[in-house]
Amino acid sequence: MNNFATLRLLDRFAPLFRRAGIDYPMLRLILGMKLTMDTRRVPTVFAQSKVKEGKNYFIRSLWIYALYGLAVIPFLFIDDYFFQLSIIFGILMFILMTSMVSDFSSVLLDVRDRNMMMTKPVDQRTISTAKMLHITLYMSLLTIATTGIPLFVSLYVNGFGFFLLFLAELILLNFLILMMTALVYFAILQFFDGEKLKNVINFMQIALTLGIILGYQLVARSFQFTSLDVTFTPSWWQLFTPPVWFGALHEALLTGERSLFVLLLAALAVIVPVIAMILYVKMIPAFESSLHKLSTVEQGKEKRTNRLKQIFLRFIAPNQEERNFMNFSFAMMKNEREFKLKVYPQVGFTFVIPFLFMFTTSENGSFEALREGSSYYLFYFTLLVIPTVISMVKYSGAYKGSWIYAAMPLKDRMLIDRGLTKSVLVMFYLPAMLILTPVFIWIFSGRIWLDLVVIIATAILYAAICTLALNGKSLPFSQPFSVAQHQEGIKAFVMMLVIGGFCLIHVLFNNWAFGLEIYAVILLIAILIVWTLGFRKIRFDT
Amino acid sequence: MERQEVIRLEHVTKRFGDKLVLEDIDLSVYEGDIIGYIGPNGAGKSTTVKMMLGLVDGYEGNIFIFGENLKNQDHTYKRRIGYVPENAELYDSLTAQEYLAFIAGLYGLEEGSARVKAHRLMMKFEIDHAMHARLSSFSKGMRQKVLIISSLLHNPNVLFLDEPLSGLDANSMLIVREILAQLSAQGKTIFYSSHIMDIVEKISNRIVLISGGHIAADGTFDELKEQNQKGSLQDIFNSLTGFSQHKEIAEDFVAIVQEEPA
Ligand SMILES: Nc1ncnc2c1ncn2[C@@H]1O[C@H](COP(=O)(O)OP(=O)(O)O)[C@@H](O)[C@H]1O
Ligand SMILES: [Mg+2]
C-alpha cells in the first residue's frame, strides 16, 4: 500500500514538506491509501467480489492524450517563438484545463474524505495537501502524456534552451491551472450556500469551459498574418490570456525582446502561478472548512407535477415501466453532484461550439455568404453531449442502491436501458434542440428543415448506439465514481468520431436529388431496428 | 476523588438551513461515565456527536472537550478520542487489514505493532479469516466490528459510538456490551447512542434522552424510573417522547398496506 514509485519519489522532497509544516509520514500514508484505491475497482452488486489487483485505469488511458499532444508538433516548426508558444500553450491549456474542470472538480470538492479523516488526529493542512498532490500527480501524468513527444521533438528541432524553458513553463502552467480552479471554487464556496451553491458550481464550470474556448480564440487573434510573417499586436486583454504570457516569456528570454509590454506579459507567466500558489496555501484551511457547506442538504420542497411534461413523457414512453425508469433517471441525474460536475462543462460546449465555428468562418466572408453556405452541418456538434452523458450514467455516488435492480420483479431489462437513453435525450439533447433549431432556421432559412430533421433523427439513433457501445450490460447508476473512470472519456471520444461519419453520409446523400429524403427514411428504419432489436440484444447477452 | 469533566456543551444550538435540530443544549460528561444517548430518529444524536468531532460546524454556543473550547483546538485532541460513525461508512475498496493499518497510521501508531494488535482484535471478534478481503464484501455486522476495532486501536480516553450495536448478532452484542462496561471501569468515558433500550438500561450509568431539540431526561436509570413512575426504559422513552399509540399506528399502517389500488 505504500510502495508506489510516486511515493518513493516524493520521499526525496520530505524535508520540504516538513519545512512547510506538513506532517510528512501522514501525508504519505494518505496518498498511499488513495493510490491503492485508484488501482481497485469496487465490485458492483452483481460482480463477484474477487480482489483483482488491477492496474491503475487512469494510467492505462493516457495514450489518448499522447494523441492529442501530436496536434502541437506542427507548431514547433514555425520560426517565431512568440506565436508558436502562444498557440501551443493555447492548445495545452485547453486540453489540461477541460480535464481539470470536468475530471478533477469532484476530487477537489470531495467531502467524503473530510468525513473519514476529520475525526482522526490529522492536521487539516496535511489532508488538503494530500488531496492536492493526488490531483497534481494525475495532472502531471496527463501533462507528461500530452507533451512528452512534443518535448522531445522540440529538443531536436528547437534546441536545448527552448526545451528547458518549455519544460519549466509546463510546470508553471500546471500550477496555474490547478490553483486557478481551486481559487474559483474557493470564491464560490465563500459567497454561496445550500442548493444555490451547487448550481453556481455547475454554472461556473460551464463558464470556465467557455472561457477556455474564448481565450483560445483571443490567442489566435493576437497575431497578424502577413504573407510570410507573423506579427504580434499588443492589446489589453492579453493580460488575461495565460498562453500569450508563456509565448512572451519565450520571446523575452530567447530573442531578447525588450518591449515593455512583452516583458510585462513574460513576468506574468512567472508571477501569477507563484502568487496563485501562495494564495492557495494560505487559504487551504478556509477552503476545506467551507467544503462542509456542500454536505448540508436543504429541506426538499414538494415539486408540483407538470401536466405538460407528463403528457409528453406518456407520448415518448407509452410503457409505464419504461416511463418509470425515465423518471428515476431524471431524478438521479438532477441530484447527483459528481455526475453534474463531470457532465455540465460539456453541456456548455454543445451550445457554443457551432456558433464559434460559424463565427470563425464568417470572419472571412459576409453574413450573407454564411446564410447561403452549408455551415448548418455544424448542428452535428450538438450530438457531442450525448456520448459524454451516456458514458457517465453508469456511475453514481450512491451506487450501492443498485441492489434494487436485483430485488425488483423486473419484466424486461430492455426497458431500463431504453428509459435511460430516452431520459438522457430529453434532459440534455432536447433543450439544445429547442433553442438551437429556431436559431439555425433563422440564420439559414427554412431550406434546411429536412437537414435538421435528419440530424435530429441521427441524434436519436446515435443515442441508442452510444448506450449499446458505451454501457453494454452495466446498469445505470450502479458503479462508484473514481478517478479511474477516466477511460470513459476515451470511449466517448471514439464515439464522437462516429458523429463525423454520420455527417459525412449526410453530405453524400445531399448530393443526389431526393437523396436527403431517402436518407431520412433509412434513418427512420434504422431507429426502429436499433431501438427495439438493438436494446433487446443487451438483454439476451446478460 | 473529584472526577474530571471531559465534555461540556454550553447553550449549543444547531440549525440545518432553517430547520432547528438542537436548541440550547447544556450537558456535562465526566470521566468514567457511560452515557446512553437516546432519542427518536432524527432527534439530533448523530449531529451532537459529529459536532464534538469537528465534522459539523456552524453551531451556536460552545463545546469544551478536555476543558478546551473546540473553537480554539487543533486536531491533536482527537488522538484521545475513538469514534464509530453510524452508517458503517469506510473505504470500501481496501481490505480490512489495509483499512485498519491506515487508521492506525492516522492515529500515529507504529505500523508493525498496530498490525499485530488489529489482527489479535479481529481474532477476538472472529473475523480474522476476512483480514485480506475487501471491506465491500463484508456484512453489516462485520463492518461494524471493523469500525469498533478501528476506534479502539489507539486506546483512547473517550469513545463516541454512534449506534455501535447495529448489525451485530446477539453474541457479539454481549461481547461489545461487556467491553464497554470494562472500558468504563478502567476510567474511559463512553458516549454512545443506541436504540436497543434494554442494553442502554443495563450498561449506562447515565442516560440522556433528547427529543424535540431538548434534553428531555438526564440521570441514572433508577432516577429516571423514579421520576417517571415506569418500570422499563422502553416505557420511559415512550412516555417522554409522548408516544402511546403504537397499536393504533400499526393497525393503520397495515390497513394502508393492504388497500387495493383504486
Ligand atoms: N447534512 C445535513 N443537512 C441537512 N439536514 C441534516 C443533515 N444532517 C442531519 N440533518 C437533519 O438533522 C436532524 C438530526 O439528524 P441526526 O442527528 O442524524 O438524527 P439522529 O438522532 O437520528 O442521529 C434530522 O432531522 C436530519 O434530517
Ligand atoms: Mg443517528
Side-chain angles (χ1 to χ4, degrees), chain A residues 295-299, chain B residues 16 19 21 40-48 86 162-163:
Chain A
S295 59
T296 303
V297 191
E298 262 171 32
Q299 290 283 306
Chain B
F16 282 110
K19 183 179 168 165
V21 176
N41 294 131
K45 303 181 294 294
S46 304
T47 306
T48 317
E86 67 177 331
D162 202 343
E163 302 185 22

Side-chain angles (χ1 to χ4, degrees), chain A residues 19-34:
Chain A
R19 209 168 314 146
I22 281 159
D23 185 347
Y24 184 72
M26 205 65 90
L27 179 78
R28 196 179 195 283
L29 185 74
I30 297 172
L31 263 179
M33 184 270 301
K34 287 184 171 298

Side-chain angles (χ1 to χ4, degrees), chain A residues 115-374:
Chain A
N115 289 340
M116 287 296 197
M117 281 186 263
M118 271 293 282
T119 59
K120 311 293 181 295
V122 192
D123 181 20
Q124 186 64 73
R125 189 174 287 273
T126 306
I127 299 177
S128 317
T129 312
K131 184 194 261 187
M132 221 6 130
L133 281 175
H134 190 214
I135 300 176
T136 311
L137 168 69
Y138 284 119
M139 282 296 283
S140 314
L141 288 175
L142 254 178
T143 314
I144 293 169
T146 318
T147 58
I149 303 172
L151 266 173
F152 264 105
V153 175
S154 83
L155 185 58
Y156 284 104
V157 178
N158 313 82
F160 192 63
F162 183 102
F163 166 82
L164 267 189
L165 191 56
F166 191 15
L167 193 65
E169 285 168 344
L170 283 174
I171 296 171
L172 286 175
L173 178 72
N174 261 307
F175 273 138
L176 183 71
I177 289 177
L178 208 65
M179 302 306 158
M180 248 170 55
T181 318
L183 289 176
V184 166
Y185 286 136
F186 177 70
I188 299 175
L189 282 169
Q190 292 311 297
F191 293 117
F192 296 93
D193 233 326
E195 231 26 66
K196 204 186 282 154
L197 170 67
K198 291 162 200 171
N199 295 333
V200 172
I201 286 181
N202 289 132
F203 174 75
M204 204 55 220
Q205 281 193 298
I206 297 178
L208 272 177
T209 324
L210 296 185
I212 303 163
I213 305 180
L214 273 178
Y216 184 64
Q217 292 293 308
L218 290 181
V219 172
R221 261 149 239 244
S222 297
F223 298 90
Q224 269 254 290
F225 303 88
T226 47
S227 57
L228 275 175
D229 213 21
V230 204
T231 48
F232 173 70
T233 29
S235 203
W236 60 268
W237 43 256
Q238 282 146 1
L239 293 173
F240 301 96
T241 45
V244 180
W245 305 344
F246 291 108
L249 183 59
H250 243 86
E251 181 83 5
L253 288 181
L254 293 183
T255 59
E257 163 78 42
R258 287 287 170 268
S259 128
L260 203 60
F261 189 65
V262 172
L263 286 182
L264 175 65
L265 289 175
L268 284 177
V270 182
I271 293 169
V272 175
V274 173
I275 289 182
M277 190 149 97
I278 293 171
L279 262 181
Y280 177 76
V281 170
K282 288 249 178 296
M283 286 179 178
I284 279 181
F287 181 72
E288 290 292 324
S289 72
S290 44
L291 274 183
H292 80 90
K293 285 185 179 178
L294 285 171
S295 59
T296 303
V297 191
E298 262 171 32
Q299 290 283 306
K301 290 185 207 72
E302 195 191 340
K303 289 190 191 80
R304 241 186 273 144
T305 41
N306 183 336
R307 278 202 53 83
L308 211 66
K309 189 180 160 197
Q310 289 308 316
I311 293 168
F312 177 68
L313 288 186
R314 217 171 269 272
F315 171 69
I316 60 169
N319 182 311
Q320 129 118 55
E321 212 171 327
E322 181 175 354
R323 201 161 59 241
N324 185 28
F325 278 115
M326 276 187 80
N327 282 323
F328 171 63
S329 309
F330 283 139
M332 291 297 282
M333 290 191 289
K334 231 176 261 160
N335 296 328
E336 185 80 60
R337 211 163 59 83
E338 279 184 75
F339 173 82
K340 291 206 280 188
L341 284 179
K342 286 177 197 260
V343 162
Y344 275 58
Q346 309 287 331
V347 176
F349 274 142
T350 318
F351 280 95
V352 178
I353 287 191
F355 296 105
L356 204 73
F357 275 91
M358 268 186 240
F359 198 59
T360 327
T361 39
S362 71
E363 269 300 83
N364 316 319
S366 65
F367 185 61
E368 285 311 311
L370 174 74
R371 304 186 71 152
E372 301 301 314
S374 47

Side-chain angles (χ1 to χ4, degrees), chain A residues 40 112-113 116 118 121 400, chain B residues 54 78 90-93 98:
Chain A
R40 303 214 172 136
R112 197 166 106 100
D113 270 353
M116 287 296 197
M118 271 293 282
K400 283 181 188 150
Chain B
K78 292 172 190 164
L90 20 73
Y91 289 116
D92 258 355
S93 48
E98 287 167 338

